[in-house]
Amino acid sequence: MDFSFTGEQQALAEKVRAFAGDTVARHAALDDRERTFWSGFFAELGRAGLTGLAIAEEYGGSGLGAVEAGIAVEQLARAEATACYPVVNATLIGGIISRSGTVRQRAEWLPAVAAGDAVVALVLTEPGHGTDAAAIELSAQKDGDGWILSGTKTSIMLGMHATHGLVFARTSDDGARGVTAFYLPLNRDGIARERLDDLGVRAGGRATLYFAGVRASDDEIVGGVGEGFGGVMRGFDHSRALIAVLAISNAQAALDDALAYARERESFGQVLGKHQGVAFPLVEHATRLHAARLLAFEALWRADNGLDHRTEANMAKWWACRVGVEAAHQALLTLGHRGWNDDHPAGRRVRDAIGQEIADGTENATKLVVARKLLGRDCAP
Ligand SMILES: Cc1cc2nc3c(=O)[nH]c(=O)nc-3n(C[C@H](O)[C@H](O)[C@H](O)COP(=O)(O)OP(=O)(O)OC[C@H]3O[C@@H](n4cnc5c(N)ncnc54)[C@H](O)[C@@H]3O)c2cc1C
């Protein structure tokens, strides 16, 4: 058993760490305050190769694996958790198009995603349907040789920034088998967007999207009519492990700040770290983050090795997000009044951590997947 990264993986980590430290970190506080990314952010992500990590080289990507995507997300999240969402989305949606798209769709769409020219959003959740995503209602009605989409989507990460969306629509009443995925430009006539006023992950521009008689063609269907739901669920096996890495890294950055503070700040004549009541909780959170990180990377490693990784990815998602919130909270408390201020990243780390608990499926949604595996469908909730 080998827990170390290869030389190439180590080099990738160092490259992304340098990019994140130099370019991303200095914008993080302002991005959060202004609720948007700095101008040029998406182009820089593309130039750094971060939106094309998992896309094949023939389409302009690097053709790397799930572990490499995890390595990139881990390094980016240390600087700014929200900056990871375009990378996660490009990996998730690029993966769905790579697996399920036609030759023409792959050739036409993937190079723009890899280059960062197309900023992509996963357009699934609706005001009435989140966890029960198979019940979505936004309708796609056949109209001549095309389709007409009508309805509302909400909670769409990057919704205010995205140029394109993978939009899930109902094409028949047949439950999950009646859901079809369309890859559409989001500036198309009939689409309106409204920003949500979020508690965290603020630069992400989460939004509600209104579809009023939006025209789509057969050529924009990914994976066939009625095949949309299975495709996104397979994609979640991978993206949930990436969100886990994101959550752990965000919390680890907060914990590192707290550890540094505990080495310097004095109380009762000695540094904080000398007080067992300060040191031991930090040790406990470091231990949990370490273990959750191993689980998340195991899920990504299994994906790269063609092994079933659904259980590990879903276990990692809920647990990493839970321990991430708890660690970020403790980090803020260790900083005392200094953490309770927007000039310090501790508060942003906590707010962003809570968002990760909901994004890509809540704790209960992931536990449902694991319960069905452990207990069998007939005996699980
Ligand atoms: C930061 C962030 C980013 C997001 N990004 C996107 C995105 O890019 N695209 C997108 O489409 N959506 C996105 N979402 C939406 C997210 O996927 C949904 O919020 C999530 O799936 C939960 O759906 P819901 O909010 O409607 O909660 P509901 O489904 O209404 O659930 C409410 C509560 O009940 C629990 N619950 C529901 N059903 C069950 C059950 N059967 N058993 C036990 N508990 C249950 C849930 O766990 C939750 O705690 C994002 C959300 C956030 C916060």
Side-chain angles (χ1 to χ4, degrees):
M1 192 176 278
D2 184 354
F3 286 97
S4 56
F5 290 144
T6 64
E8 285 93 4
Q9 289 170 338
Q10 197 57 46
L12 173 69
E14 277 157 26
K15 192 180 124 194
V16 183
R17 180 187 276 259
F19 170 74
D22 292 346
T23 311
V24 178
R26 66 193 148 93
H27 295 282
L30 200 59
D31 283 359
D32 183 59
R33 207 165 296 147
E34 300 200 337
R35 295 171 181 265
T36 189
F37 291 112
W38 45 283
S39 143
F41 165 68
F42 293 107
E44 286 286 344
L45 270 190
R47 260 197 291 281
L50 294 172
T51 44
L53 286 170
I55 292 175
E57 286 178 276
E58 62 179 307
Y59 303 121
S62 314
L64 295 172
V67 167
E68 284 79 9
I71 287 169
V73 163
E74 180 166 52
Q75 295 303 331
L76 260 187
R78 293 188 67 82
E80 182 182 3
T82 312
C84 297
Y85 281 91
V87 178
V88 173
N89 276 10
T91 305
L92 171 61
I93 294 173
I96 293 171
I97 295 171
S98 299
R99 272 192 310 278
S100 308
T102 62
V103 173
R104 184 198 58 77
Q105 289 173 337
R106 293 200 296 266
E108 201 174 306
W109 298 338
L110 290 175
V113 178
D117 296 336
V119 177
V120 290
L122 187 89
V123 187
L124 177 63
T125 302
E126 298 183 352
H129 303 287
T131 304
D132 59 342
I136 56 154
E137 293 177 62
L138 182 138
S139 74
Q141 302 272 357
K142 195 77 185 131
D143 180 63
D145 60 357
W147 299 82
I148 295 189
L149 276 60
S150 303
T152 304
K153 295 289 185 180
T154 195
S155 195
I156 308 307
M157 180 53 71
L158 305 181
M160 295 307 293
H161 306 296
T163 60
H164 291 75
L166 191 65
V167 181
F168 294 82
R170 178 149 303 287
T171 43
S172 83
D173 292 336
D174 194 11
R177 285 190 206 88
V179 175
T180 300
F182 294 82
Y183 185 75
L184 301 177
L186 293 179
N187 62 357
R188 186 160 287 175
D189 282 353
I191 301 177
R193 318 185 198 198
E194 188 177 15
R195 177 185 295 278
L196 292 162
D197 196 9
D198 283 349
L199 298 179
V201 201
R202 285 179 169 162
R206 204 173 57 108
T208 298
L209 270 56
Y210 302 95
F211 290 72
V214 176
R215 299 205 70 87
S217 73
D218 281 333
D219 290 343
E220 291 170 323
I221 291 177
V222 181
V225 174
E227 300 293 327
F229 194 70
V232 73
M233 284 299 143
R234 274 191 298 282
F236 278 163
D237 289 347
H238 178 181
S239 66
R240 283 180 177 167
L242 285 182
I243 298 280
V245 172
L246 190 170
I248 295 155
S249 185
N250 174 62
Q252 186 66 52
L255 198 65
D256 288 349
D257 285 345
L259 289 165
Y261 193 65
R263 279 186 223 104
E264 287 167 12
R265 169 81 170 176
E266 292 192 5
S267 81
F268 298 91
Q270 51 189 355
V271 293
L272 288 180
K274 281 282 186 187
H275 302 294
Q276 187 172 316
V278 174
F280 283 10
L282 297 179
V283 171
E284 288 164 18
H285 290 293
T287 308
R288 290 190 196 106
L289 290 179
H290 186 88
R293 178 177 182 271
L294 289 178
L295 178 57
F297 271 104
E298 187 203 345
L300 295 168
W301 175 85
R302 292 179 71 87
D304 282 342
N305 285 279
L307 300 168
D308 185 6
H309 52 286
R310 175 162 292 180
T311 302
E312 292 78 7
N314 281 280
M315 285 175 167
K317 166 71 173 68
W318 80 259
W319 194 45
C321 292
R322 166 90 70 91
V323 299
V325 168
E326 290 169 358
H329 181 202
Q330 181 60 56
L332 190 151
L333 296 179
T334 304
L335 289 158
H337 71 273
R338 298 202 180 183
W340 190 244
N341 188 291
D342 266 346
D343 288 341
H344 196 284
R348 170 167 55 85
R349 298 276 185 201
V350 175
R351 289 187 278 107
D352 290 356
I354 297 171
Q356 290 142 26
E357 286 190 295
I358 306 170
D360 238 37
T362 62
E363 181 165 325
N364 281 357
T366 55
K367 284 180 178 170
L368 281 176
V369 178
V370 179
R372 284 171 190 161
K373 175 75 176 183
L374 298 182
L375 293 159
R377 262 186 179 269
D378 291 344
C379 300

